[in-house]
């Protein structure tokens, strides 16, 4: 269907909608994110290509053997839970893996029976759709601003910021050396080095960097990766630095 016919079909649909429901339908059309998948631009394609590169370097669960605490926390969830990285695997990809028997959305509640229940999924990264939403709708114009991502892991917040914002500098701080190497690989391959920097460091040692930041992103940084006592200390430090900066 070409543009003219599609527009006619949409208008006909509105005409046949119950008049009382038209305002709700129009509101939904103006605000929904259901159309996001039809507005894929070149930046989305670059991010999808990055996800393919990263998938090739990581096991399917996208976690490192060295992440003892995070692995233990997942095992301690009240319901069986798996880590599926939302940046690497979107819903359609998960469906394909399930069809191929490489992944499952369910677990058997009684061994040997046909009773199953949905597995819990958690992700240590934002998905492509979430990144787009954050940069297009949540954050203000970042022209000339410095963004720091605390715990940058695969670097998704940084690549999203490079492609979807005008931030002058995007800096990731990551505790894991292996994840820093993966980020460096992507930065080099996609030539993001003019605006993205990655530091292999504990955020607690980066007070001066945090003070230069205009935006600090913290996506569930500590819960899975640090013991509770340290979570409180580090969270407090970050908040204290932000408050300090705001009051200066
Ligand atoms: C949930 S992931 C966030 C990933 C990424 N920011 C995103 O939103 O897609 C949290 C990351 O924080 C890192 N991390 C935890 N504590 C940290 C600390 N004190 N300093 C730097 N990184 C830390 C972990 O290694 C992990 O890779």
């Amino acid at each position: 269907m070409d543009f003219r016919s599609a527009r006619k079909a949409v208008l006909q649909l509105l005409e046949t909608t119950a008049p009382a429901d038209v305002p709700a339908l129009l509101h939904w059309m103006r605000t929904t994110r259901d159309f996001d998948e039809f507005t894929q631009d070149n930046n989305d394609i670059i991010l999808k290509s990055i996800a393919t590169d990263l998938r090739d370097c990581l096991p399917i669960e996208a976690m490192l053997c060295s992440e003892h605490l995070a692995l233990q926390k997942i095992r301690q969830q009240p319901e069986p839970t798996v880590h599926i990285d939302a940046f690497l695997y979107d819903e359609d990809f998960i469906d394909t893996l399930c069809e191929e028997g490489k992944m499952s959305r369910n677990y058997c509640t009684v061994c040997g029976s046909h009773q199953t229940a949905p597995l819990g999924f958690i992700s240590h990264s934002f998905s492509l759709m979430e990144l787009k939403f954050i940069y297009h709708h949540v954050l203000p114009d970042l022209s000339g601003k410095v963004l720091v991502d605390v715990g940058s892991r695969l670097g998704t917040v940084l690549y999203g910021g490079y492609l979807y914002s005008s931030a002058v500098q995007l800096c990731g701080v990551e505790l894991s050396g292996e994840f820093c190497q993966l980020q460096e690989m992507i930065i080099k391959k996609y030539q993001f080095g003019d605006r993205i920097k990655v530091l292999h460091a504990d955020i607690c040692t980066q007070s001066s960097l945090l003070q230069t930041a205009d935006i600090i992103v913290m996506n569930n940084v500590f819960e899975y990766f640090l013991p509770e006592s340290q979570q409180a200390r580090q969270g407090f430090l970050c908040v204290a630095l932000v408050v300090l900066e705001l009051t200066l």
Side-chain angles (χ1 to χ4, degrees):
M1 198 187 285
D2 64 11
F3 171 70
R4 286 168 68 89
S5 319
R7 188 176 60 178
K8 202 170 158 198
V10 171
L11 291 171
Q12 271 170 357
L13 181 83
L14 279 165
E15 277 163 18
T16 52
T17 304
D21 290 332
V22 170
L25 180 64
L26 288 174
H27 177 74
W28 170 78
M29 289 170 90
R30 282 194 200 102
T31 56
T32 184
R33 290 175 55 202
D34 291 353
F35 300 151
D36 284 358
E37 63 183 290
F38 302 109
T39 55
Q40 181 162 270
D41 59 20
N42 195 40
N43 291 334
D44 300 0
I45 290 163
I46 295 173
L47 282 184
K48 283 189 176 172
S49 164
I50 292 174
T52 306
D53 289 339
L54 289 169
R55 276 198 304 270
D56 289 345
C57 299
L58 287 163
I60 201 160
E61 63 277 11
M63 293 200 59
L64 304 172
C65 306
S66 52
E67 296 189 285
H68 307 293
L69 195 63
L71 290 164
Q72 189 189 337
K73 289 243 176 181
I74 290 174
R75 282 194 293 272
Q76 285 169 349
Q77 295 301 304
E79 285 170 358
T81 298
V82 287
H83 174 249
I84 304 293
D85 193 282
F87 181 73
L88 302 182
Y89 300 99
D90 62 19
E91 289 297 315
D92 291 343
F93 206 125
I94 294 173
D95 285 342
T96 310
L97 290 174
C98 289
E99 278 162 23
E100 291 170 358
K102 293 181 183 156
M103 201 180 269
S104 172
R105 288 185 184 275
N106 300 296
Y107 70 97
C108 173
T109 53
V110 183
C111 189
S113 84
H114 290 259
Q115 266 183 284
T116 61
L119 265 169
F121 280 20
I122 63 153
S123 169
H124 292 319
S125 297
F126 284 125
S127 68
L128 192 151
M129 286 300 167
E130 286 168 334
L131 287 170
K132 265 182 104 165
F133 184 73
I134 290 168
Y135 283 108
H136 287 166
H137 301 291
V138 178
L139 293 174
D141 177 10
L142 296 187
S143 303
K145 305 283 184 205
V146 175
L147 178 147
V148 172
D149 183 25
V150 178
S152 49
R153 198 170 182 85
L154 303 179
T156 59
V157 169
L158 308 174
Y159 317 139
Y162 191 99
L163 296 166
Y164 298 135
S165 87
S166 305
V168 69
Q169 191 67 244
L170 299 136
C171 186
V173 182
E174 173 54 55
L175 211 48
S176 156
E178 288 168 83
F179 281 131
C180 287
Q181 279 173 13
L182 277 179
Q183 292 175 71
E184 293 295 357
M185 177 193 88
I186 298 292
I187 292 166
K188 192 167 170 214
K189 175 165 178 185
Y190 291 86
Q191 299 179 354
F192 290 159
D194 54 331
R195 288 164 58 213
I196 298 184
K197 296 272 169 301
V198 175
L199 281 176
H200 176 205
D202 182 333
I203 193 63
C204 278
T205 64
Q206 299 301 315
S207 56
S208 46
L209 172 71
L210 284 173
Q211 284 176 60
T212 61
D214 298 295
I215 305 282
I216 298 173
V217 178
M218 291 175 68
N219 176 19
N220 204 12
V221 188
F222 305 129
E223 184 185 349
Y224 280 84
F225 302 93
L226 297 175
E228 244 170 67
S229 53
Q230 282 186 42
Q231 286 177 34
R233 202 181 120 253
Q234 300 219 358
F236 176 76
L237 181 86
C238 286
V239 172
L241 284 165
V242 175
V243 172
L244 179 72
E245 194 192 345
L246 288 173
T247 50
L248 283 177

